[in-house]
Amino acid sequence: MQNKKLKQILVLALPLLLKYVFFFVFVDWRVFDSEDIKEDVIFFGLIALLIQTKLFQKQFFKTLLLFVYLLYIVLETTSYLAASSTFSSSYMYLLLESSSAELKEFAGGYFSWPILLVFLINIFFFFRLRKIAWNANYKQSNLLGLLSFAIILVVLKFTGLIESNAYHNAVRGSYGYYKLQKNMQLASAINKSDVKVTSDNEVLVLVLGESTDRNHMQIYGYNRQTTPNLNVLKDELYVFDNVISTEVFTLKAVPKILTSLNHNSNGEDLVDIVQVFKTGGYDTYWLSNQRPISFHDNAISNIASGSKTFQFYNHQIDRDAKVLDEALLPDYSEILKKEGKKLIVLRLIGTHFDYINRYPYAFEKFKSVDASKKEKLIDEYDNAILYNDFILNKIISELKAQNQKSALLYISDHGENIYDYGTDFFGRSEEVITKNMFEIPFLFWASESFNYPDDFEYQKNRAFTSQFTYESLGHIFGVMHTNMNAEKSIFSNSYKQKKRIIVGDKDFDIYFKKKSNE
């Protein structure tokens, strides 16, 4: 009987053991945390105990338990195969934030035959394990099983090993997403007396880029000619080269750019830049080439809906569909011709994956001969940067042609890792981070007649985080809310540098300095 029981446990353990076979063959072991092994062993012990209790002799409960067990293995294995990290809470943000089309894009980009094999093997084991009779032949098996379950959970929690558990991270990620949405409470209205207009500037254009790493831009020293138009304009631009995003996901990053939200916020009602300019007497426009994921609930779309005019150009769900950023240009041109002072927000799809869908064929300049998968992806990303340069040039040229007191700021929500620093993945993750995920472009253009604030100062190397863009925009344009402080503005001589905290608790400058010394 004992031998039979042991064989059953070994069969149950096979999917978990195969997980490590996949790691050994397809994953760089340097990215693997030994804590994950400990957590896997404890989690397996929990499953092995529960499946032998009387409760789980019933087919329904046994099937449910085995599904939970094998899904856990699939999540863990495919996460490492795709992004070289365990399934983390940040992936839940990605799943909850993204539309179905974006999820298809990510799935298509990360698909590989090893991942397909993981699914097929675990489907086989699911039906194989369902047939095994796990006899509970000892007294009080339910009590002992549940007691063991409780003890194991306590051990996981107090040893910190639960941080590696896929299900714990799924719950924590979902809760974090809910909490973020709940805390993104925009003030229903702001008093006119709270907004002070100190200039006669007429037009501000805020261009929100997407997934653009400045290290792939020629204007920031990249070795490929990816920004020929911006390079021609270089003498007219304020090019800040030490600006970072504090986040790697759009849902977290963009609200910090557009509102008074920052890492010190504590649940207070937030004021956004659209409200401020609207209250200050400016007509406000929002043109977006990104889908309104959940129009009335999504925090970014909520900000957009406060504009006088807002329009979304991208509603397609087909992964292969191309809605290029040039779709915004005709309406942008018409808005510039309208009378009155204006704030125009242009939200680009930029260099968002799938990169090959972000530019027309005419911009396929970079195309390596006999390219590997990695080289091909880098080429596609650089082509997307090249097209993004074309779009920015068009936007600036149209604005310049109006001969008004105008300014433009271009900033990306976050960067992107494209196999950088020896990593074997592209995209973003809160678990395995690189500098490229945070290092973003920050470019400012102003017309010759633009009215600068008295304390204006340009320091291209100023260490700055995008969460204070809200204050910087109000300061440079002379439309200040009472909650804005020039000490947070990148354009002010009174700017005071603060710790640049990323993904919750890491000091960007200290963390990556240590990494470079390792």
Side-chain angles (χ1 to χ4, degrees), residues 66 153 210 262 321 340 424 433 462 477 485:
L66 290 172
L153 283 182
E210 169 69 53
N262 58 62
D424 195 34
I433 60 175
R462 179 163 276 168
F477 211 75
N485 187 337

Side-chain angles (χ1 to χ4, degrees), residues 295-479:
F295 182 77
H296 292 292
D297 299 324
N298 181 264
I300 301 170
S301 292
N302 194 16
I303 297 169
S305 66
S307 303
K308 174 185 176 182
T309 301
F310 50 91
Q311 186 167 346
F312 295 87
Y313 297 81
N314 193 344
H315 296 275
Q316 299 185 37
I317 61 174
D318 187 348
R319 173 181 177 234
D320 297 321
K322 290 187 178 182
V323 181
L324 299 173
D325 282 328
E326 60 195 58
L328 281 65
L329 297 180
D331 287 328
Y332 166 67
S333 182
E334 289 302 312
I335 290 170
L336 285 177
K337 295 173 185 176
K338 294 178 183 289
E339 293 184 358
K341 300 188 297 182
K342 297 179 273 292
L343 166 68
I344 307 171
V345 180
L346 303 177
R347 191 170 180 219
L348 308 180
I349 194 70
T351 56
H352 191 292
F353 185 78
D354 193 341
Y355 313 128
I356 197 171
N357 285 343
R358 303 300 161 236
Y359 55 90
Y361 179 76
F363 284 80
E364 195 174 40
K365 175 180 179 180
F366 306 106
K367 194 171 184 180
S368 302
V369 179
D370 298 324
S372 65
K373 180 180 178 182
K374 291 181 182 180
E375 291 170 332
K376 183 174 181 290
L377 201 75
I378 293 170
D379 286 343
E380 290 170 358
Y381 187 74
D382 288 348
N383 288 329
I385 295 279
L386 180 66
Y387 179 68
N388 193 61
D389 168 75
F390 165 77
I391 294 295
L392 287 173
N393 182 58
K394 285 286 188 182
I395 293 170
I396 294 172
S397 297
E398 289 269 6
L399 182 60
K400 190 188 299 187
Q402 299 303 311
N403 292 318
Q404 294 177 301
K405 291 184 177 182
S406 58
L408 175 145
L409 176 67
Y410 168 65
I411 182 175
S412 182
D413 54 355
H414 49 72
E416 192 92 338
N417 186 77
I418 311 293
Y419 301 108
D420 297 297
Y421 295 98
T423 57
D424 195 34
F425 71 97
F426 69 94
R428 289 157 280 116
S429 166
E430 289 184 341
E431 307 305 313
V432 182
I433 60 175
T434 65
K435 290 179 73 174
N436 296 61
M437 296 178 190
F438 302 93
E439 294 181 330
I440 56 175
F442 195 98
L443 306 174
F444 183 74
W445 175 90
S447 64
E448 292 183 3
S449 59
F450 184 76
N451 185 4
Y452 292 88
D454 293 337
D455 62 344
F456 174 76
E457 179 181 75
Y458 171 50
Q459 288 190 15
K460 67 177 298 185
N461 303 119
R462 179 163 276 168
F464 183 76
T465 64
S466 60
Q467 65 181 333
F468 299 122
T469 303
Y470 164 78
E471 287 84 1
S472 300
L473 286 170
H475 167 253
I476 190 65
F477 211 75
V479 183

